[in-house]
């Protein structure tokens, strides 16, 4: 294994692991806040129980996310020193702001966890809102940095060095806000449906449990609307990619040849050598319509890009197809749940819906992982699009397979610990008598 491949593999594994906890850290505080708000509004202590249970699960996930996020911050400097040297003046302030948001989130999460009986309900609820806002801001700063790597702006390049740097330029670029909105919607949808799937599973076993019925309703409230909005966000981000990263868009759609009336491909296996797509379903003019609202519009293909600048087409195309498929399933389930809500029917009464929610519980995170594959692999061979190649940014330190192996074992252990801890927490919650809790949470 080459050092470049080892470094890329380690970074990919670290990002794939951390993004799960980052997404949960964005949306879980919102779930806690909604449950606590319902308790404050109704006085029903069972909603207090719900907020307390979710806060304990959030604490477990936050702790592991903090570890994996710290690892990522070190890897940026250790594995990609040339990237940090050149891009530091632009992405450095964004990472510093993300660190500030993270510490704010950690402080107020501590207040939230241990302040149930120590501060007033209003102050406690406010702490939960600050935790939620800090998690969202963390995502905004990190995704803005990634968006800048996809569409670099705010500098001049002189003799290979960045000059006249504008550190706020990433926030003024439309790519950043398209990507930020897409990621936030994905985090809320994925977390909402994961939590809904857990409580739907428990409702299939015990349909009379108030706790699980209300938890399911709250989770779908948090995840359902973002799932319905995500296809609109996806359309906007695809149009943005077509303008700023045409090679990535061509790889996403496996479009090898520039053509008017470009087809939209469903499924299929791209063959880069023959420049064809096998087993795909082609919708004539579909891609031109989606991008330009014109069935005869010209869409640049990969033939407009030098062969050495192609991303891995099969990986990007299949990941894109997987992301879209998962997103459409979640949107359909959100619409199904909304139909029940409009008709005033209990979600727990539809056992087929509950089974669908259980089956779809992990799909939001599958879509997030696939989406980040599209984002990162689709930018290759550039670490900063058309400015710095990934091969030129990797550290010259040899033997990178060793830290890659070490961190792989670390993530496997952390994954096992998280699964064990969350399983025990959910099982303990389900075993307890789910009557109103009057004692303070530990």
């Amino acid at each position: 294994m080459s050092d470049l491949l080892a470094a890329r593999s380690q970074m990919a594994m670290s990002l794939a692991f951390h993004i799960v906890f980052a997404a949960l850290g964005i949306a879980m505080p919102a779930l806690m806040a909604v449950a606590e708000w319902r308790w404050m509004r109704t006085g029903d202590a069972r909603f207090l129980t719900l907020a307390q249970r979710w806060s304990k699960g959030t604490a477990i996930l936050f702790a592991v996310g903090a570890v994996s996020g710290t690892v990522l911050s070190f890897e940026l400097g250790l594995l990609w020193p040339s990237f940090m040297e050149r891009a530091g003046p632009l992405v450095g302030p964004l990472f510093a702001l993300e660190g500030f948001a993270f510490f704010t989130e950690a402080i107020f999460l501590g207040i939230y966890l241990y302040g149930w009986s120590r501060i007033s309900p209003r102050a406690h609820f406010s702490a939960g809102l600050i935790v939620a806002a800090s998690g969202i801001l963390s995502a905004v700063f990190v995704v803005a940095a990634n968006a800048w790597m996809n569409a670099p702006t705010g500098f001049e390049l002189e003799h290979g060095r960045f000059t006249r740097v504008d550190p706020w330029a990433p926030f003024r670029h439309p790519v950043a806000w398209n990507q930020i909105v897409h990621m936030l919607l994905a985090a809320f949808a994925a977390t909402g449906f994961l939590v809904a799937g857990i409580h739907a599973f428990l409702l299939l076993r015990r349909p009379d449990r108030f706790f699980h019925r209300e938890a399911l309703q709250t989770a779908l409230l948090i995840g359902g609307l973002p799932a319905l909005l995500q296809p609109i966000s996806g359309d906007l981000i695809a149009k943005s990619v077509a303008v700023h990263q045409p090679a990535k868009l061509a790889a996403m759609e496996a479009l090898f040849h520039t053509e008017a009336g470009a087809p939209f491909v469903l499924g299929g296996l791209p063959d880069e050598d023959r420049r064809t797509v096998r087993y795909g379903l082609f919708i004539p003019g579909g891609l031109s319509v989606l991008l330009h609202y014109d069935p005869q519009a010209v869409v640049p293909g990969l033939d407009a890009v030098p062969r050495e600048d192609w991303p891995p087409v099969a990986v990007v195309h299949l990941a894109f197809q997987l992301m879209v498929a998962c997103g459409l399933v979640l949107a359909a389930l959100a619409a199904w749940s909304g139909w029940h809500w409009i008709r005033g029917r209990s979600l727990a009464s539809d056992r087929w819906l509950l089974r669908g929610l259980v089956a779809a519980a992990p799909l939001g995170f599958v879509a997030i992982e696939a989406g980040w594959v599209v984002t990162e692999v689709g930018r290759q061979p550039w670490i900063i699009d058309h400015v710095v190649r990934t091969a030129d940014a990797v550290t010259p330190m040899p033997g990178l397979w060793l830290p890659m192996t070490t961190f792989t074992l670390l993530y496997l252990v952390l994954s096992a610990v998280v699964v064990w801890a969350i399983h025990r927490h959910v099982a303990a919650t389900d075993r307890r008598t789910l009557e109103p809790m009057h004692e303070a949470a530990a």
Side-chain angles (χ1 to χ4, degrees), residues 239-265:
K239 289 179 171 62
S240 176
V241 170
V243 172
H244 299 284
Q245 293 181 286
K248 178 187 288 188
L249 189 281
M252 288 163 54
E253 300 293 347
L255 184 66
F256 289 98
H257 305 285
T258 300
E259 56 184 300
F264 183 78
V265 183

Side-chain angles (χ1 to χ4, degrees), residues 125-176:
F125 177 65
S126 298
L129 292 180
I130 294 174
V131 172
S134 300
I136 291 172
L137 283 175
S138 290
V140 167
F141 297 133
V142 170
V143 176
N146 181 267
W148 178 84
M149 294 165 65
N150 291 325
T153 186
F155 64 93
E156 293 183 12
L157 197 62
E158 296 181 1
H159 307 294
R161 302 188 65 85
F162 292 170
T163 61
R164 297 179 178 85
V165 170
D166 178 3
W168 298 108
F171 288 110
R172 294 194 294 270
H173 203 292
V175 169

Side-chain angles (χ1 to χ4, degrees), residues 16-324:
F17 184 86
H18 179 69
I19 192 62
V20 173
F21 300 95
L24 290 166
I26 292 168
M28 281 302 299
L31 285 168
M32 301 182 322
V34 170
E36 187 173 5
W37 174 77
R38 296 182 73 182
W39 165 65
M40 293 173 64
R41 191 173 69 89
T42 65
D44 190 334
R46 289 176 293 189
F47 290 116
L48 175 60
T49 300
L50 184 57
Q52 291 171 336
R53 298 284 195 264
W54 277 343
S55 69
K56 291 181 179 179
T58 300
I60 296 170
L61 299 169
F62 181 85
V64 179
V67 173
S68 59
T70 302
V71 170
L72 270 173
S73 65
F74 283 111
E75 286 178 340
L76 280 172
L78 293 174
L79 297 178
W80 313 103
S82 296
F83 166 74
M84 293 305 296
E85 178 185 5
R86 299 182 188 185
L90 273 154
V91 300
L94 297 175
F95 289 140
L97 289 170
E98 191 278 333
F100 179 79
F102 168 77
F103 285 121
T104 302
E105 183 180 6
I107 291 168
F108 281 91
L109 180 60
I111 294 173
Y112 192 89
L113 291 171
Y114 295 101
W116 291 102
S117 60
R118 294 173 175 85
I119 58 178
S120 70
R122 286 180 179 273
H124 190 271
F125 177 65
S126 298
L129 292 180
I130 294 174
V131 172
S134 300
I136 291 172
L137 283 175
S138 290
V140 167
F141 297 133
V142 170
V143 176
N146 181 267
W148 178 84
M149 294 165 65
N150 291 325
T153 186
F155 64 93
E156 293 183 12
L157 197 62
E158 296 181 1
H159 307 294
R161 302 188 65 85
F162 292 170
T163 61
R164 297 179 178 85
V165 170
D166 178 3
W168 298 108
F171 288 110
R172 294 194 294 270
H173 203 292
V175 169
W177 291 106
N178 286 333
Q179 199 168 323
I180 286 167
V181 170
H182 199 63
M183 181 62 218
L184 291 177
L185 290 175
F188 279 101
T191 302
F193 274 93
L194 177 65
V195 174
I198 292 172
H199 290 284
F201 174 78
L202 297 171
L203 273 172
L204 287 170
R205 297 166 53 191
R206 298 179 178 87
D208 59 331
R209 288 295 176 89
F210 172 90
F211 178 86
H212 297 310
R213 291 201 309 271
E214 294 302 322
L216 176 65
Q217 182 179 350
T218 304
L220 287 175
L221 176 67
I222 292 295
L225 183 59
L228 290 172
L229 293 175
Q230 191 67 304
I232 300 174
S233 170
D235 178 67
L236 292 174
I237 203 169
K239 289 179 171 62
S240 176
V241 170
V243 172
H244 299 284
Q245 293 181 286
K248 178 187 288 188
L249 189 281
M252 288 163 54
E253 300 293 347
L255 184 66
F256 289 98
H257 305 285
T258 300
E259 56 184 300
F264 183 78
V265 183
L266 293 175
L269 295 176
D271 186 332
E272 293 187 32
D273 294 330
R274 297 182 178 180
R275 303 193 178 191
T276 59
V277 180
R278 295 177 293 169
Y279 315 117
L281 175 62
F282 293 82
I283 302 175
L287 184 59
S288 294
V289 170
L290 288 174
L291 294 178
H292 303 290
Y293 307 111
D294 178 0
Q296 294 303 317
V298 176
V299 180
L302 287 163
D303 58 356
V305 181
R307 183 65 180 84
E308 63 271 18
D309 292 344
W310 285 18
V313 180
V315 174
V316 177
H317 175 71
L318 293 175
F320 176 69
Q321 296 280 313
L322 178 61
M323 177 188 67
V324 171

